[in-house]
Amino acid sequence: MIIIYIQPSDFALEKTTIWSFKERGDWATHSGEYRGNWSPYVPRNLILRYTKPGEWVLDQFVGSGTTLVEAKLLNRHAIGLDINNKAI
Ligand SMILES: C[S@@+](CC[C@H](N)C(=O)[O-])C[C@H]1O[C@@H](n2cnc3c(N)ncnc32)[C@H](O)[C@@H]1O
C-alpha cells in the first residue's frame, strides 16, 4: 500500500445541501475500484459534522471501506460490515 498523503490539503466542510467535488480525492489509502465506491469527501464531511474524535462510526454497507479509512484518519473508532464477502 502506498500512502501519498493522508489528509487533504484543501479540505473545507460543505456548507450547503448540494455537494460537488471536482476530484474523487487522492489522499485516501485505497483505490476507487470497488463498485459503488464513494468519494472520501462524502464520509469526511459526515464524520466531521456528526462525530467527535474518539467516538465510534458504524458503516453497515462498508464496501471497500472508504468510510473506515476516513474515520481512522480523523481519529475515530470505526467498524464496518457488508453482506458481500468480496468487500473488505
Ligand atoms: C455502494 S456500496 C458501498 C461502497 C462504500 N461506501 C465504499 O466507498 O466503498 C454498498 C454496499 O452495501 C452492501 N450491502 C447491500 N445490502 C446489504 C445488506 N443488506 N447488508 C449489508 N451490506 C449490504 C453491498 O454489498 C455493497 O458493498
Side-chain angles (χ1 to χ4, degrees):
M1 178 185 307
I2 299 171
I3 300 176
I4 301 170
Y5 56 94
I6 58 171
Q7 301 290 344
S9 57
D10 59 346
F11 182 83
L13 271 180
E14 294 300 306
K15 294 189 172 69
T16 70
T17 55
I18 299 173
W19 295 1
S20 176
F21 310 111
K22 291 179 189 158
E23 311 279 344
R24 177 182 178 273
D26 62 358
W27 69 88
T29 54
H30 69 307
S31 81
E33 290 171 15
Y34 187 86
R35 189 177 65 142
N37 175 272
W38 64 1
S39 162
Y41 279 105
V42 177
R44 178 166 286 256
N45 268 277
L46 295 171
I47 291 165
L48 285 170
R49 188 169 295 278
Y50 294 112
T51 71
K52 299 183 180 80
E55 291 187 340
W56 280 90
V57 172
L58 167 66
D59 185 357
Q60 68 270 43
F61 302 99
V62 75
S64 65
T66 311
T67 301
L68 302 187
V69 171
E70 289 308 302
K72 198 69 185 169
L73 293 177
L74 293 167
N75 297 314
R76 274 67 169 172
H77 303 289
I79 189 166
L81 55 113
D82 201 290
I83 201 169
N84 180 0
N85 63 12
K86 293 194 169 91
I88 60 164

